[in-house]
Amino acid sequence: MKEETPRKRHRKVRVPSEGPRARRDFEEYSGAPFGTTWNDRTECFHAGVHGQLESGIHGKKAEGAFSIVVSGQYKDDKDEGDTILYTGSGGCKRSDGTREQTCDQTWSDTGNEALRKSSETGNPVRVIRGYELESEFAPWEGFRYDGLYVCKDAWQEKNRDGHYLICRYRMERVPGQPPLRRRSTVVGLYKPIPGFEDVQPLAPGPAPVNGRQRFRDRLKALLDNDQRTLGPCKELRR
């Protein structure tokens, strides 16, 4: 009788719910001082400053929020620098490739409940801004740690389209921190702040417009490379 070869069992790869170094406290992180910038959310995740790869709120329902990312994912976000009107998480389908809200946000969401808890405890929350945020206070590139904020209020209201409920938070910046950088009218540069040149360095270069634009730029580079290697295609010779 032929001996059967035992089947190999494949382990399922699980995406961690929190980063291995995720800070679960309500204070500054010495490993990432004010103004520290990361290229993407993955770097921020592994640095431990924000312990979620996708969710914009990292926290515990019973303790409160440790950090939030203000990335412009929700069009109801409003950033005025020292005050942020922040939109909670949930209500969007992740599979359709869009960020349009398709249902109500609820307090049962862990992140939403954690940030609402912060409005009761008064504990500060670390704030990271992303380059896609439509705000003069957003970085031109990547994701930047912009210090501590306190959640002063939490409530629910209709989104600006009037279709679905969103969880809403008013975040106030803790006084005594270095000034926030503000985008200049020149793409890639910031407005100078006297006395804080060491904290407010110029951006290394212009920021990508969005993910779609980066894809088009990459596709164009591949096509240009093919034309140099294989010569122009028939359509281009006309």
Side-chain angles (χ1 to χ4, degrees):
M1 182 180 293
K2 188 176 180 181
E3 187 176 349
E4 293 184 0
T5 304
R7 294 182 180 179
K8 294 183 178 179
R9 293 185 178 181
H10 298 282
R11 293 182 60 187
K12 293 183 179 180
V13 178
R14 296 180 59 189
V15 177
S17 59
E18 290 189 344
R21 300 172 55 193
R23 292 294 299 261
R24 301 173 183 85
D25 53 30
F26 311 99
E27 58 187 30
E28 297 277 5
Y29 178 29
S30 60
F34 175 84
T36 301
T37 303
W38 300 271
N39 291 320
D40 50 40
R41 286 283 296 269
T42 302
E43 288 187 4
C44 184
F45 173 78
H46 288 297
V49 177
H50 184 70
Q52 296 288 338
L53 275 172
E54 295 183 359
S55 177
I57 306 173
H58 176 216
K60 300 291 185 182
K61 288 184 177 182
E63 303 175 41
F66 309 127
S67 59
I68 64 172
V69 176
V70 192
S71 60
Q73 181 175 358
Y74 295 95
K75 54 189 177 184
D76 291 274
D77 286 343
K78 187 175 182 181
D79 182 12
E80 298 178 347
D82 289 342
T83 301
I84 300 172
L85 290 181
Y86 185 70
T87 308
S89 61
C92 293
K93 285 187 177 180
R94 297 181 182 180
S95 59
D96 61 1
T98 68
R99 292 177 176 177
E100 293 298 320
Q101 194 170 348
T102 57
C103 60
D104 292 339
Q105 292 184 350
T106 65
W107 294 122
S108 61
D109 179 273
T110 300
N112 292 340
E113 181 61 26
L115 195 51
R116 184 169 69 163
K117 184 67 174 179
S118 294
S119 71
E120 300 170 0
T121 65
N123 289 326
V125 180
R126 292 186 294 273
V127 169
I128 299 98
R129 283 182 171 87
Y131 70 94
E132 290 185 307
L133 177 65
E134 294 183 2
S135 166
E136 66 172 323
F137 298 98
W140 283 111
E141 291 184 318
F143 293 81
R144 186 185 65 216
Y145 172 59
D146 277 347
L148 299 174
Y149 284 68
V150 173
C151 184
K152 292 292 188 178
D153 198 6
W155 69 98
Q156 278 189 316
E157 65 182 21
K158 290 286 188 180
N159 63 5
R160 69 181 187 182
D161 294 331
H163 296 150
Y164 301 104
L165 283 174
I166 56 174
C167 297
R168 198 76 153 151
Y169 307 89
R170 181 167 61 87
M171 310 293 297
E172 296 285 348
R173 196 160 186 259
V174 175
Q177 300 181 89
L180 292 168
R181 281 187 289 185
R182 305 172 83 161
R183 289 180 175 182
S184 167
T185 53
V186 180
V187 175
L189 300 183
Y190 296 99
K191 295 178 180 178
I193 301 178
F196 285 90
E197 287 79 9
D198 57 331
V199 180
Q200 311 291 340
L202 294 178
V209 177
N210 51 43
R212 186 176 298 175
Q213 181 64 50
R214 291 198 300 272
F215 175 78
R216 286 199 294 261
D217 293 343
R218 184 178 180 186
L219 181 60
K220 183 178 182 300
L222 290 172
L223 291 174
D224 291 343
N225 182 65
D226 288 344
Q227 290 177 29
R228 287 194 299 268
T229 305
L230 304 175
C233 63
K234 293 181 181 179
E235 288 76 6
L236 294 177
R237 292 194 185 105
R238 293 176 184 173

